[in-house]
């Protein structure tokens, strides 16, 4: 077998690893549900146990001696405090957790530039301000940082994409000076690398654990949304990627960065391009609240996607939205509820699709290219009836994604890093 790399995705329900060769062909993949290791999905040790099993699953199908690099993606905005050895000191605050201290949020808001992605109660920066008070804290890390640290032994580094919601300035390429004005101690901030840069070699004990060479490079990773984009093969300005997972995340390839925090819009810089977009609080978790998988399949088949339901839903499980509307008190809109369950489901699917449509419109309003195509990833992309509704609302070609797995995007990032380092 030719040289391969491994991408690892840590999601809200499990971990997935993808092994990819130098032609970007997936040669192995493996999944490990978090629930196999316990009920507390906020336990980082469970994240690591799932990641380790997914890596081992890939290793069963490839020659370990051919592995050259690994990269990790994780949920955007998830933060945890660690000590100097990388030991977690408190339960992490997840991507959708809100900092409840209204006084803190009101105090720091005027200190941040309008274009910063660190605005809002779910921002990484707000969470870091809470966690810096934990006794013994040495660094404040993101989810992907910590998993990469378990691989490399370095718990002092992050990447530009995960750092964005914590206040990092991707245009200037640095932690800005105003962060200290918020009261966050700069020594708690990790070093920031470009996604695809080499963090270091794999730890010897970890290499032995998985049967890997001692010179495997650990590559700076990215967020799950950016990894999902990379996985699809989208490459031209105007190419959009909708991730229909537990939440709805949109990314649109742009030649220039777009920032509009009042609408939850921000831009990631990765591999020389800009990904403008945002993440809504709607998505598959709303559907899963009302329907089990079998009901979703059965009721979806009864839907006529060409006929609008006439319902005007904004599907949320609780008040608060971050994109394409930034309103922490925005109420869910789920009434009236039809007697037919299939019509209720149609209303939910239309409502999420309308939020998707508004999201791409918002991006264009603030200077992103007009949407010219959409690739879809996530569990919702497999629902043909939902896809028909989305086609009707978006009115652009729907293209096949090269892969729907965020782990494949992390693997593509590992490939780019390995090539840049001259080891592939």
């Amino acid at each position: 077998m030719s040289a391969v790399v491994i991408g690892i995705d840590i999601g809200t329900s499990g971990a997935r690893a993808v092994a990819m060769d130098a032609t970007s062909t997936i040669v192995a993949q493996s999944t490990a549900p978090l629930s196999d290791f316990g009920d507390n999905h906020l336990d980082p040790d469970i994240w690591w146990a799932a990641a380790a099993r997914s890596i081992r699953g890939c290793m069963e199908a490839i020659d370990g001696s051919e592995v050259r690099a690994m990269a990790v993606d994780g949920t955007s905005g998830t933060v945890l405090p660690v000590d100097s050895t990388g030991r977690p000191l408190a339960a992490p605050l997840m991507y959708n957790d809100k900092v409840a201290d209204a006084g803190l949020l009101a105090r720091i808001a005027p200190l941040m530039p309008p274009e910063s992605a660190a605005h809002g109660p779910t921002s990484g920066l707000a969470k870091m301000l809470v966690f810096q008070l934990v006794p013994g804290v040495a660094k404040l890390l993101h989810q992907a940082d910590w998993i990469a640290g378990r691989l490399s032994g370095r718990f002092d580094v992050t990447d530009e994409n995960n750092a964005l919601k914590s206040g990092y300035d991707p245009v200037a390429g640095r932690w800005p000076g105003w962060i200290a004005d918020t009261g966050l101690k700069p020594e708690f901030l990790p070093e920031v690398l470009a996604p695809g840069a080499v963090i270091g070699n794999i730890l010897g004990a970890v290499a032995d654990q998985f049967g890997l060479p001692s010179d495997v490079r650990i590559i700076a990773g990215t967020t799950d949304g950016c990894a999902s984009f990379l996985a699809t093969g989208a490459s031209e300005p105007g190419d959009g990627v909708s991730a229909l997972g537990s939440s709805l995340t949109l990314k649109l390839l742009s030649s220039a960065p777009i920032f509009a925090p009042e609408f939850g819009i921000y831009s990631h810089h990765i591999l020389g391009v800009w990904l403008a977009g945002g993440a809504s609080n709607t998505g598959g978790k709303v559907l899963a609240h009302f329907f089990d998988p079998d009901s979703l399949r059965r009721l979806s088949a009864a839907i006529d996607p060409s006929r609008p339901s006439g319902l005007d839903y904004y599907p949320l499980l609780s008040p608060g939205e971050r994109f394409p509307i930034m309103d922490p008190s925005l109420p869910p809109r789920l009434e009236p509820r039809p007697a037919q369950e299939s019509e209720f489901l149609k209303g939910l699917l239309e409502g999420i699709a309308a939020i998707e449509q508004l999201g791409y419109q918002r991006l264009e309003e603030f200077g992103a290219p007009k949407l010219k195509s959409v690739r879809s990833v996530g569990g919702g992309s497999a629902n043909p009836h939902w896809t028909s509704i989305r086609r009707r609302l978006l009115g652009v070609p729907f293209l096949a994604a090269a892969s729907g797995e965020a782990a494949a995007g992390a693997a593509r990032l590992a490939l780019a890093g390995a090539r840049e380092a001259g080891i592939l």
Side-chain angles (χ1 to χ4, degrees):
M1 180 178 289
S2 60
V4 298
V5 299
I6 294 176
I8 304 153
D9 167 62
I10 309 299
T12 55
S13 61
R16 180 178 290 273
V18 163
M20 183 176 286
D21 68 17
T23 69
S24 299
T25 299
I26 294 174
V27 295
Q29 54 188 316
S30 177
T31 302
L34 297 179
S35 57
D36 284 359
F37 305 93
D39 296 329
N40 182 11
H41 295 180
L42 299 181
D43 183 350
D45 286 334
I46 287 180
W47 301 347
W48 172 247
R53 180 187 288 177
S54 67
I55 294 169
R56 285 194 295 270
C58 278
M59 300 309 299
E60 293 175 359
I62 62 175
D63 181 350
S65 68
E66 300 293 344
V67 176
R68 297 291 180 266
M70 306 172 78
V72 183
D73 77 79
T75 52
S76 174
T78 295
V79 176
L80 69 161
V82 301
D83 66 15
S84 58
T85 67
R87 180 174 64 92
L89 299 176
L93 287 170
M94 297 299 291
Y95 68 98
N96 58 347
D97 286 333
K98 299 176 183 177
V99 169
D101 188 339
L104 181 151
L105 297 172
R107 177 178 62 79
I108 66 174
L111 303 173
M112 293 184 275
E115 68 273 11
S116 174
H119 287 270
T122 62
S123 78
L125 176 62
K127 295 164 187 172
M128 287 183 170
L129 285 163
V130 171
F131 279 145
Q132 74 170 347
L133 303 178
V134 174
V137 64
K139 289 294 176 187
L140 301 166
L141 300 179
H142 309 95
Q143 186 179 43
D145 308 339
W146 190 77
I147 296 296
R150 290 297 300 259
L151 293 167
S152 68
R154 290 194 62 184
F155 294 96
D156 62 346
V157 66
T158 187
D159 65 84
E160 289 184 328
N161 301 155
N162 275 293
L164 188 70
K165 291 183 181 178
S166 297
Y168 182 78
D169 184 341
V171 177
R174 64 174 183 268
W175 290 113
W178 60 259
I179 287 185
D181 297 335
T182 69
L184 183 62
K185 296 180 179 179
E187 61 265 30
F188 294 149
L189 292 170
E191 176 187 353
V192 183
L193 300 178
V198 174
I199 295 174
N201 283 3
I202 193 170
L203 282 172
V206 177
D208 292 342
Q209 176 183 352
F210 297 120
L212 294 169
S214 60
D215 60 351
V216 169
R217 305 298 205 280
I218 306 304
I219 304 296
T222 184
T223 65
D224 52 352
C226 290
S228 293
F229 189 100
L230 292 176
T232 67
S235 61
E236 299 293 331
D239 286 349
V241 173
S242 297
L244 305 170
S246 58
S247 59
L248 170 68
T249 301
L250 307 184
K251 292 284 190 295
L252 183 64
L253 194 60
S254 176
S255 57
I258 308 297
F259 294 98
E262 67 271 25
F263 289 105
I265 296 170
Y266 50 89
S267 294
H268 289 286
H269 192 223
I270 185 167
L271 300 181
V273 298
W274 291 94
L275 305 183
S280 169
N281 287 336
T282 194
K285 60 189 172 185
V286 180
L287 303 177
H289 177 76
F290 293 103
F291 304 103
D292 60 39
D294 288 340
S295 296
L296 271 174
R297 285 189 289 270
R298 175 176 53 82
L299 293 171
S300 291
I303 287 173
D304 177 2
S306 66
R307 179 182 60 82
S309 69
L311 299 169
D312 182 26
Y313 290 166
Y314 202 108
L316 299 170
L317 289 182
S318 60
E321 177 62 304
R322 48 191 174 143
F323 169 81
I325 300 167
M326 175 66 83
D327 182 350
S329 61
L330 184 74
R333 194 165 65 241
L334 298 170
E335 299 289 342
R337 181 161 179 169
Q340 283 187 302
E341 288 291 273
S342 60
E343 282 298 292
F344 178 55
L345 173 59
K346 183 198 281 191
L348 293 176
L349 297 178
E350 287 176 339
I352 298 172
I355 295 170
E356 180 184 11
Q357 179 189 39
L358 179 59
Y360 284 119
Q361 288 175 352
R362 283 277 191 263
L363 294 174
E364 184 181 353
E365 288 171 11
F366 285 96
K370 184 178 180 63
L371 181 69
K372 70 175 187 180
S373 69
V374 168
R375 291 170 171 86
S376 304
V377 297
S381 64
N383 185 324
H385 309 282
W386 195 5
T387 298
S388 294
I389 291 171
R390 295 171 54 229
R391 284 179 187 269
R392 170 164 55 84
L393 290 181
L394 292 177
V396 298
F398 275 47
L399 306 180
S403 173
E405 300 293 346
R412 285 178 178 264
L413 195 54
L415 276 177
R419 291 190 177 106
E420 182 67 21
I423 59 173
L424 193 67

